[in-house]
Amino acid sequence: MIFYRFLVFICLLVSCSACSVAPWERGNLAKQQMLITPNPAHAALRAHVFDSKEASSGGIGGAGGGCGCN
Amino acid sequence: MHILLLQLLIFFTSAVSALEENALAVSCPAMMKEGGGQLDLQKFRGKVVYLDFWATWCPPCKKSMPFLNNLRNELVDQGFEIIAISVDEEPDAAYLFLKEYPVDYRVATDTTGQCPKIYDVKAMPSAYLIDRKGVIRYIHLGFREGDKDEIRRKVIKLLSEKIEG
Amino acid sequence: MAVTRTRTKKNSKATLLALSSAALALPGVDLYAGVPASQPQMTSQFGLYEEEGGRMEAQVYHGEFVVPIKDSFELTFSFDQDTYVGATPYYSKPSGSSDAITAASNIDPLSLALSTVLGSPRFDELLLGINTDIASGALSGVPGIFDPARQEFVRTEMIRRLIETPAPDYSQPVQVIATHPLESRNMPVLGANFYWGPVTLGLSGGYSIEDDFNSTFGSGRVSWELNNKLTTLSAGFSLSNNDILREAISPGGPHDHSTGDLEDFEASNKYRTFDLGFSQILTKNTLFHLNSSYTRQRGYLSNPYKLVNITGEITPEEYNKVGFIDGADDWSSVTDLEVAGFELFREVRPEKRDIWTVSTGINQYIPSLDASLHLDYRFFFDNWDINSHTFELSWYQSLPFGITVTPNIRYYSQSGANFFAPFFQAPRKDGNYSSDYRLSSYGVLSGGLSVGKQFAKGVRFDTSFEYSTHRGSLKLGGGGVGDYADLDSYLITASLQVDMSSLGRAIGSGSGHKGHTKHAGHIGHPPAGVMFGHMLGQAGDMMVGYGYKYSDRSTGMQQGTRTGISDQELIDNACKGGVCEFKAEEMAMHMHMINFMYAPTDWLNLMLMPQFAYKEMEMKPLPNSSVTEGAGHSNTGLGDTLFGALVKVFNTENHHVHLGIIGSAPTGRIDVTFDGLVNSESQLQSFGMQLGSGTWDLKPSLTYTGNLGDWYWGAQATGTKRLQHQNRFGYALGDEIEGSLWGGYRALDWLSFSVRNIYKAQSAIRGNVNRITPVPEDQQTAQLTPLENPDNKGGQFWDIGLGVSFSVPSGEYAGHSLNVEWLQPVIHDLNGYQLERDGALSVNWGYAF
C-alpha cells in the first residue's frame, strides 16, 4: 500500500507541468554547487571514513540534475 | 491509478515539434553585443546565418566555439555569418567570458528567456541554420565532435544556393 | 605452569580490517548523467584522519585521471593509498574483572589468569576459607600430600571465585586498547564511461591490497535521462570478493625475537549490491533525488582480531578439566569458539547480512544569495537488527574571486546489532558475539567547513575540516550503549583539480585572468634527473608535474672503489663495536614526486613538491649468524616536502640563468621500525630506509641553459646543506654537492635526446644515533649490519645520464612533456661498506599552462 502511494507521488512529481524547466533555464542547476555530488573525491573520502567507523554504508551519490546539455 | 499511468505514458512519449524547419526565421528580443540594438534578422537577408543558442554554463556550447569561429572566418567572405545568442540569466556572464575567450562572430544576449521560447529551443546548444532567403533549413540540437563535418557541409550547401531575383 | 605472557601488542589489526572492509562499501562510479567530462582532468587529494589524542591516525592519498577518448567515451583511472597506525579497541569487559589474554589459542589461558593473580592482593580473596597449602598445591598442579580429588575440588572452587569475585561492575564496561603496527593499503581502480544520447553507462573495476586483506571489486551503472532531461533514472550493480588472511608469523622480521605465533587464518566473503536511483528537477532552482539499495553479504563477516568476554561459556569444572588435567591443548570439546584468553574468545558474526538503504535529498538554490542548500536523509536497516538514520545539511555559499565556502552538519544515529554487547554474562543461543563498539547503539554528530577556490586556467583547490563526536548518549530516542566507547575524531582534506587541455581551460570558469599567449614549445627541457632546471616563462603561468625515480641495488657490497666485498670482510670490518651478523642483499627505492609551480611574475617561480617514497630491502644473515633465513621489509609514505623559489637571473633567447632557493621540510617519517610499532622499544630501520632526513635542509642551485637551433645544453651546481646539527634521533644525514653538465639535440618537433655528466659528493652521517638497537645510550651501540654504521654512508659518485624527451608542441594538448633519463654509474668511491649502486631511472611528466 505504501509502495503504491509512493509510486503515485513519483508520477505526480514527474508529470507536474508547473515544474517544467526549459533547457535554457538550467543555468542555476548547472552550477557545481547544485550537483548532487559537487565534490566527488571529497564525498568518497568522507564516505570511506564514516563506513569504517559506523555500521552503515552506501546510499550516497546519485545521477541527474546538471546542465542537461547535449 | 490507471489515469496516472496514462498521464505518465503520454508525458514520456509525446514529442513536441520544434519551431519548424522551412518556417521563416523571426527576430526576437536579444541585445546585440557592442551596441547595435536589438537583433534584426532582416539585416542579414542574403546571407547564410547560423543562429546558435548557447550559455556560459554549457560545456558543449563552449567546446563548439573554436570550431564555429574558424568556420565563420573561413566562409565569411562567401556570405556566412554566425549569431550566437547567450541565454545566460546573469547579465554580464557572457561578456565576461568573451573578454577572456573572444570570438569574431556576432554575439547577442537574452537574459529574459524570450528568444529561446520563441524558437522553442529543445536542447542546449541549439543551432538554427537559416538560408539566404531567411528560411530555417536545419535545426541542430547539441554539439559533439562528430557534428563538425556535417555542419560545415550544410553551411557550404546553403552558401551555394543563389537567391533568385 | 605455563609461561606468563603479557598482553602482546603486535597482533591486533582490528582497525585495518574495519577500514579496509569499508573500502568495499565505496560506491563504484559516481556518474553525472548525460554530459561527458568534455575535458581531461586530474584530481589529487590528501586526507588526514585522527582520533582523539592521536589514538589512531590514518593518511589517505588519492589521485585520479579522467581521459576523454571520443565524444562518447572516456576512461578513468584512480589510485588510493591509505596508511594507518595507532590503537584500537581489542575487546571490552566489565570493569574490575580479570585481565589476562594470550595471543594464541593454544596457550593455557587459565594458568595465565591464575598466574597473574598469584602474588597479587586478589590471591587472598581467592583463598578465603581455603587452606593455603592445599591452594598452592592445587594451583601448581603438583601432586602433593593431599588427596587429588580434594585438590581438584579446591582448584575448581578457586576458578569459580576467579570468575566471580570481586564482583565485576557490570554497569561500566571498560575497553581494552591495543596498538597495531603501521600498515598500508593500495587500491587501483580502472573505469570507463559511455555516453549515448540520454543513456550513460559506467563500468569500473579494481582491487584493494594490504597485508591481511585483499579485495577484488567491480561495478556497473546505467542512467537514463528522460522527460526533457528533467528526470533521471539509474540502476547499478556492484560486487566484491574479499579475502581475509592472518599469517602465523611474528610480524617483527629478523630482529624480532619475541614469541607469540598466531595461527594461520584464512577466510573470505562476497558482497553484492543492487541499487536504483531517481532524480527530478522540480524548478529551475530545485533538484530532488531518491535512491534505494540492497546489499547481500555472505561469508566470513567477523573481524578475526576482535575478541569478546563471555562468562559461562566455559564452566569452572571445564576450565579445570581441559586447563589442568588435559594440558590445555584443545578446548574444542567444551566450546565451539576460538579461545583467546581467560573468558575471552574471538568474536563471531553471522555469515549472512542483508542490508537495505533508502536515501533522499533535495538541493535548493537561492538566487538572491548565490548559495544552495543540500538536505539529505538516509535510512539503513539490516537483518542484524541495526537501523540507522543519517541527516545531513550543507550550505554551499559562493563568494567573490571564485571562492565557495561550505559549512555542513551531520547527525547519525544507529541501533546496535542483536548480537552486540560490551561483554556477555551468559552464552548466546545463536553463537554470535561481538563487542565491536561500531556495532553498538550510539549517535555521531559532526560539523565541518569546506573552502574551495577556482583559479584561472581550470585549476581548483579545496580544503576541509570536519570534527565528529561519537557518543552513546546521542542515539536518537535514547537507549545508547553508554559512554565507555565515546570518541572524538577529525578529518582534514586538501585537494587539487586540474584541467589538462587548453580547451579545458576555456571550458572551466576563471576569474581575473589576462590574455594568455600560447606557451611556445620550449626547446631544451633539462634531462629528467635534473631538479628545478626549468622555469616558467611568463607571469600567470602554472605547471603541474609528476616525477618518478627508481633505483635498485642488488649487485653486492662495495667499499671505496672495490666491489665484490666478501662476507668475511664485512663481518670483520663493517660494523662498529662488534661483528656484523646481517647484510643487505637488495634495496629498491621508488620515489614519487608531485610538482606545482606558479609564476607570480616574469622573473619568479614559486614551487611546492610533496614526495612519496616506497622503499624495500632484503636482508640476509652472514655465515657467522645463528639466524638462517633472511627477511625483507618495506616502507611507504610521505617523504620530505620541498618548497621554494626560482629566480631568473639572466635571460635571452639563447641563454638563461636562474637561481634556486629551495628548502626541504622534514615531513617524512624517521621513526619507521621493524615491527611497525611506534614506541621507544621498537628497533628503528636503517638510515637509508627512513622516509626523510629528519632535518630542515637547504637546497640551493644555480642553473644555466642554452640553445641554438636544434641543439641545447646546460649546467647546474646544486647541493644540500642540513640546517640542523641533528634530528631528533641524534644524527643528521651528510651534506651533498652536485654538479652536472648536459647537452641535447632535438631530432624532431616532439623528440629530443640528451647526454649528461654528473659528479656528486656526499659526506657520511654525522652524530651518534640514539636508537638503532635498544641498548642504553652510554653503551656503544652494537651494530648488527653495515647499514647501521653511520660511517658507511656517502661517498663520491660519477655517473652518466642518457635521456629522451617527448613533448606536445602545439594543438589542444600543447604544454605536456615527458622526460626519461637513465643514470649509469661510472666510478663510485663509497665511504665504508655499502651496497653497490646499479643505476637509476628518472621519469617526469609536466604540464605547463
mmCIF file of all heavy atoms in Angstrom, chain C residues 595-617:
data_model
loop_
_atom_site.group_PDB
_atom_site.id
_atom_site.type_symbol
_atom_site.label_atom_id
_atom_site.label_comp_id
_atom_site.label_asym_id
_atom_site.label_seq_id
_atom_site.Cartn_x
_atom_site.Cartn_y
_atom_site.Cartn_z
ATOM 1 N N ASN C 595 54.763 17.970 -8.447
ATOM 2 C CA ASN C 595 55.371 19.286 -8.536
ATOM 3 C C ASN C 595 54.343 20.334 -8.927
ATOM 4 O O ASN C 595 53.616 20.157 -9.910
ATOM 5 C CB ASN C 595 56.476 19.200 -9.601
ATOM 6 C CG ASN C 595 57.418 20.366 -9.517
ATOM 7 O OD1 ASN C 595 57.360 21.154 -8.593
ATOM 8 N ND2 ASN C 595 58.289 20.468 -10.504
ATOM 9 N N PHE C 596 54.249 21.385 -8.154
ATOM 10 C CA PHE C 596 53.363 22.504 -8.513
ATOM 11 C C PHE C 596 54.220 23.739 -8.677
ATOM 12 O O PHE C 596 55.007 24.055 -7.793
ATOM 13 C CB PHE C 596 52.348 22.791 -7.404
ATOM 14 C CG PHE C 596 51.528 21.600 -7.024
ATOM 15 C CD1 PHE C 596 51.797 20.920 -5.853
ATOM 16 C CD2 PHE C 596 50.492 21.167 -7.832
ATOM 17 C CE1 PHE C 596 51.047 19.819 -5.493
ATOM 18 C CE2 PHE C 596 49.743 20.060 -7.483
ATOM 19 C CZ PHE C 596 50.021 19.387 -6.303
ATOM 20 N N MET C 597 54.082 24.429 -9.798
ATOM 21 C CA MET C 597 54.853 25.657 -9.988
ATOM 22 C C MET C 597 53.933 26.764 -10.443
ATOM 23 O O MET C 597 53.031 26.540 -11.248
ATOM 24 C CB MET C 597 55.961 25.437 -11.029
ATOM 25 C CG MET C 597 57.288 25.160 -10.349
ATOM 26 S SD MET C 597 58.588 24.579 -11.411
ATOM 27 C CE MET C 597 58.937 25.960 -12.406
ATOM 28 N N TYR C 598 54.202 27.938 -9.940
ATOM 29 C CA TYR C 598 53.391 29.099 -10.317
ATOM 30 C C TYR C 598 54.303 30.296 -10.475
ATOM 31 O O TYR C 598 55.209 30.508 -9.673
ATOM 32 C CB TYR C 598 52.341 29.346 -9.216
ATOM 33 C CG TYR C 598 51.572 30.630 -9.409
ATOM 34 C CD1 TYR C 598 50.761 30.817 -10.529
ATOM 35 C CD2 TYR C 598 51.668 31.660 -8.474
ATOM 36 C CE1 TYR C 598 50.069 31.992 -10.704
ATOM 37 C CE2 TYR C 598 50.967 32.831 -8.650
ATOM 38 C CZ TYR C 598 50.165 33.000 -9.765
ATOM 39 O OH TYR C 598 49.480 34.161 -9.932
ATOM 40 N N ALA C 599 54.072 31.064 -11.525
ATOM 41 C CA ALA C 599 54.902 32.239 -11.760
ATOM 42 C C ALA C 599 54.116 33.497 -11.437
ATOM 43 O O ALA C 599 53.314 33.953 -12.255
ATOM 44 C CB ALA C 599 55.356 32.260 -13.221
ATOM 45 N N PRO C 600 54.319 34.088 -10.283
ATOM 46 C CA PRO C 600 53.590 35.316 -9.975
ATOM 47 C C PRO C 600 54.104 36.500 -10.791
ATOM 48 O O PRO C 600 53.366 37.436 -11.049
ATOM 49 C CB PRO C 600 53.842 35.527 -8.478
ATOM 50 C CG PRO C 600 54.990 34.668 -8.117
ATOM 51 C CD PRO C 600 55.153 33.623 -9.167
ATOM 52 N N THR C 601 55.379 36.445 -11.171
ATOM 53 C CA THR C 601 55.933 37.494 -12.042
ATOM 54 C C THR C 601 56.773 36.805 -13.117
ATOM 55 O O THR C 601 56.967 35.601 -13.069
ATOM 56 C CB THR C 601 56.843 38.467 -11.271
ATOM 57 O OG1 THR C 601 58.059 37.767 -10.932
ATOM 58 C CG2 THR C 601 56.190 38.965 -9.993
ATOM 59 N N ASP C 602 57.291 37.611 -14.038
ATOM 60 C CA ASP C 602 58.087 37.033 -15.120
ATOM 61 C C ASP C 602 59.405 36.446 -14.643
ATOM 62 O O ASP C 602 59.974 35.582 -15.287
ATOM 63 C CB ASP C 602 58.409 38.116 -16.172
ATOM 64 C CG ASP C 602 57.210 38.377 -17.063
ATOM 65 O OD1 ASP C 602 56.261 37.580 -17.017
ATOM 66 O OD2 ASP C 602 57.226 39.374 -17.812
ATOM 67 N N TRP C 603 59.921 36.912 -13.510
ATOM 68 C CA TRP C 603 61.254 36.501 -13.090
ATOM 69 C C TRP C 603 61.245 35.610 -11.855
ATOM 70 O O TRP C 603 62.281 35.212 -11.357
ATOM 71 C CB TRP C 603 62.117 37.737 -12.818
ATOM 72 C CG TRP C 603 61.448 38.708 -11.891
ATOM 73 C CD1 TRP C 603 60.651 39.755 -12.244
ATOM 74 C CD2 TRP C 603 61.479 38.698 -10.463
ATOM 75 N NE1 TRP C 603 60.188 40.416 -11.140
ATOM 76 C CE2 TRP C 603 60.679 39.789 -10.016
ATOM 77 C CE3 TRP C 603 62.102 37.899 -9.501
ATOM 78 C CZ2 TRP C 603 60.498 40.083 -8.678
ATOM 79 C CZ3 TRP C 603 61.919 38.192 -8.162
ATOM 80 C CH2 TRP C 603 61.112 39.282 -7.762
ATOM 81 N N LEU C 604 60.050 35.275 -11.333
ATOM 82 C CA LEU C 604 59.976 34.495 -10.108
ATOM 83 C C LEU C 604 59.021 33.316 -10.277
ATOM 84 O O LEU C 604 57.928 33.464 -10.805
ATOM 85 C CB LEU C 604 59.481 35.387 -8.962
ATOM 86 C CG LEU C 604 59.303 34.732 -7.585
ATOM 87 C CD1 LEU C 604 60.651 34.348 -7.014
ATOM 88 C CD2 LEU C 604 58.576 35.676 -6.642
ATOM 89 N N ASN C 605 59.453 32.165 -9.871
ATOM 90 C CA ASN C 605 58.578 30.995 -9.835
ATOM 91 C C ASN C 605 58.522 30.499 -8.400
ATOM 92 O O ASN C 605 59.556 30.408 -7.737
ATOM 93 C CB ASN C 605 59.152 29.838 -10.667
ATOM 94 C CG ASN C 605 58.990 30.023 -12.160
ATOM 95 O OD1 ASN C 605 59.481 29.206 -12.923
ATOM 96 N ND2 ASN C 605 58.327 31.078 -12.578
ATOM 97 N N LEU C 606 57.318 30.150 -7.950
ATOM 98 C CA LEU C 606 57.180 29.520 -6.639
ATOM 99 C C LEU C 606 56.869 28.062 -6.861
ATOM 100 O O LEU C 606 56.121 27.726 -7.772
ATOM 101 C CB LEU C 606 56.030 30.174 -5.861
ATOM 102 C CG LEU C 606 56.206 31.666 -5.587
ATOM 103 C CD1 LEU C 606 54.955 32.228 -4.952
ATOM 104 C CD2 LEU C 606 57.413 31.901 -4.687
ATOM 105 N N MET C 607 57.434 27.194 -6.028
ATOM 106 C CA MET C 607 57.142 25.789 -6.235
ATOM 107 C C MET C 607 56.945 25.041 -4.920
ATOM 108 O O MET C 607 57.421 25.440 -3.867
ATOM 109 C CB MET C 607 58.228 25.121 -7.081
ATOM 110 C CG MET C 607 59.647 25.214 -6.579
ATOM 111 S SD MET C 607 60.022 24.172 -5.186
ATOM 112 C CE MET C 607 59.705 22.590 -5.866
ATOM 113 N N LEU C 608 56.187 23.958 -5.060
ATOM 114 C CA LEU C 608 55.902 23.088 -3.927
ATOM 115 C C LEU C 608 55.974 21.660 -4.445
ATOM 116 O O LEU C 608 55.400 21.351 -5.483
ATOM 117 C CB LEU C 608 54.496 23.361 -3.383
ATOM 118 C CG LEU C 608 54.068 22.508 -2.196
ATOM 119 C CD1 LEU C 608 54.865 22.865 -0.965
ATOM 120 C CD2 LEU C 608 52.575 22.700 -1.924
ATOM 121 N N MET C 609 56.713 20.806 -3.726
ATOM 122 C CA MET C 609 56.850 19.444 -4.211
ATOM 123 C C MET C 609 56.738 18.438 -3.069
ATOM 124 O O MET C 609 57.724 18.151 -2.391
ATOM 125 C CB MET C 609 58.207 19.280 -4.911
ATOM 126 C CG MET C 609 58.378 17.907 -5.522
ATOM 127 S SD MET C 609 60.057 17.626 -6.111
ATOM 128 C CE MET C 609 59.889 18.152 -7.774
ATOM 129 N N PRO C 610 55.544 17.900 -2.843
ATOM 130 C CA PRO C 610 55.474 16.796 -1.882
ATOM 131 C C PRO C 610 56.046 15.536 -2.538
ATOM 132 O O PRO C 610 55.960 15.381 -3.754
ATOM 133 C CB PRO C 610 53.973 16.629 -1.612
ATOM 134 C CG PRO C 610 53.276 17.351 -2.681
ATOM 135 C CD PRO C 610 54.232 18.262 -3.376
ATOM 136 N N GLN C 611 56.617 14.664 -1.723
ATOM 137 C CA GLN C 611 57.221 13.447 -2.249
ATOM 138 C C GLN C 611 56.682 12.248 -1.501
ATOM 139 O O GLN C 611 56.323 12.344 -0.328
ATOM 140 C CB GLN C 611 58.751 13.496 -2.067
ATOM 141 C CG GLN C 611 59.397 14.699 -2.716
ATOM 142 C CD GLN C 611 60.887 14.712 -2.527
ATOM 143 O OE1 GLN C 611 61.619 14.230 -3.367
ATOM 144 N NE2 GLN C 611 61.348 15.250 -1.420
ATOM 145 N N PHE C 612 56.620 11.128 -2.176
ATOM 146 C CA PHE C 612 56.167 9.891 -1.563
ATOM 147 C C PHE C 612 57.194 8.825 -1.878
ATOM 148 O O PHE C 612 57.635 8.695 -3.003
ATOM 149 C CB PHE C 612 54.816 9.469 -2.151
ATOM 150 C CG PHE C 612 53.797 10.539 -2.030
ATOM 151 C CD1 PHE C 612 53.665 11.474 -3.049
ATOM 152 C CD2 PHE C 612 53.002 10.653 -0.911
ATOM 153 C CE1 PHE C 612 52.743 12.502 -2.937
ATOM 154 C CE2 PHE C 612 52.080 11.675 -0.790
ATOM 155 C CZ PHE C 612 51.956 12.605 -1.813
ATOM 156 N N ALA C 613 57.584 8.089 -0.872
ATOM 157 C CA ALA C 613 58.635 7.105 -1.094
ATOM 158 C C ALA C 613 58.109 5.718 -0.815
ATOM 159 O O ALA C 613 57.277 5.507 0.061
ATOM 160 C CB ALA C 613 59.823 7.402 -0.181
ATOM 161 N N TYR C 614 58.606 4.784 -1.578
ATOM 162 C CA TYR C 614 58.371 3.376 -1.290
ATOM 163 C C TYR C 614 59.731 2.716 -1.295
ATOM 164 O O TYR C 614 60.425 2.740 -2.303
ATOM 165 C CB TYR C 614 57.454 2.740 -2.334
ATOM 166 C CG TYR C 614 57.296 1.258 -2.136
ATOM 167 C CD1 TYR C 614 56.639 0.762 -1.020
ATOM 168 C CD2 TYR C 614 57.833 0.358 -3.043
ATOM 169 C CE1 TYR C 614 56.514 -0.600 -0.811
ATOM 170 C CE2 TYR C 614 57.713 -1.005 -2.846
ATOM 171 C CZ TYR C 614 57.049 -1.473 -1.732
ATOM 172 O OH TYR C 614 56.936 -2.822 -1.523
ATOM 173 N N LYS C 615 60.114 2.170 -0.155
ATOM 174 C CA LYS C 615 61.438 1.573 -0.081
ATOM 175 C C LYS C 615 61.313 0.145 0.383
ATOM 176 O O LYS C 615 60.541 -0.152 1.304
ATOM 177 C CB LYS C 615 62.300 2.334 0.935
ATOM 178 C CG LYS C 615 62.477 3.799 0.600
ATOM 179 C CD LYS C 615 63.495 4.455 1.501
ATOM 180 C CE LYS C 615 63.613 5.933 1.146
ATOM 181 N NZ LYS C 615 64.769 6.547 1.784
ATOM 182 N N GLU C 616 62.094 -0.747 -0.224
ATOM 183 C CA GLU C 616 62.080 -2.109 0.283
ATOM 184 C C GLU C 616 63.487 -2.672 0.327
ATOM 185 O O GLU C 616 64.344 -2.305 -0.471
ATOM 186 C CB GLU C 616 61.155 -3.018 -0.526
ATOM 187 C CG GLU C 616 61.360 -2.989 -1.994
ATOM 188 C CD GLU C 616 60.378 -3.867 -2.729
ATOM 189 O OE1 GLU C 616 59.618 -4.624 -2.080
ATOM 190 O OE2 GLU C 616 60.369 -3.813 -3.959
ATOM 191 N N MET C 617 63.687 -3.534 1.271
ATOM 192 C CA MET C 617 65.009 -4.091 1.487
ATOM 193 C C MET C 617 64.930 -5.568 1.821
ATOM 194 O O MET C 617 64.042 -6.005 2.531
ATOM 195 C CB MET C 617 65.698 -3.347 2.633
ATOM 196 C CG MET C 617 67.033 -3.942 2.960
ATOM 197 S SD MET C 617 67.983 -2.953 4.096
ATOM 198 C CE MET C 617 68.447 -1.604 3.073
#
